[in-house]
């Protein structure tokens, strides 16, 4: 469903969870990075666990764009998104 939405609707950024049903968040992020029209789309990860820098990098997600639910609040993520969208 996310791939269909990305193909139909212009979006300014996406927020993923690593545990998405069907295709996990990392696979979706890799797919986004392979699309020329989406390659520079900001991708944020909001998950219940930490990931290594290598795991994030392999999916095209910057470590600074990975948020952990037990450590980071939704408010922090929304503020980061608000700053990104203002650019």
């Amino acid at each position: 469903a996310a791939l269909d939405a990305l193909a139909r609707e212009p979006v300014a950024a996406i927020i993923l969870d690593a545990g998405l049903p069907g295709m996990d968040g990392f696979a979706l992020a890799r797919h986004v990075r392979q699309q020329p029209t989406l390659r520079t789309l900001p991708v944020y990860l909001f998950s219940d666990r930490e990931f290594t820098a290598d795991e994030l990098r392999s999916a095209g997600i910057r470590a600074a764009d990975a948020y952990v639910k037990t450590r980071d609040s939704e408010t922090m993520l929304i503020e980061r998104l608000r700053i990104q969208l203002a650019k």
Side-chain angles (χ1 to χ4, degrees), residues 27-74:
L28 179 57
R30 281 191 289 276
H31 178 81
V32 165
R33 293 296 180 235
Q34 293 170 355
Q35 305 306 308
T37 58
L38 301 174
R39 186 166 291 140
T40 60
L41 182 69
V43 175
Y44 299 96
L45 181 71
F46 192 56
S47 186
D48 60 355
R49 72 178 193 92
E50 297 270 354
F51 293 94
T52 67
D54 287 339
E55 289 173 305
L56 294 168
R57 191 174 17 262
S58 75
I61 300 170
R62 297 177 336 136
D65 295 334
Y67 294 83
V68 180
K69 294 175 184 177
T70 58
R71 179 190 68 210
D72 305 311
S73 70
E74 290 177 20

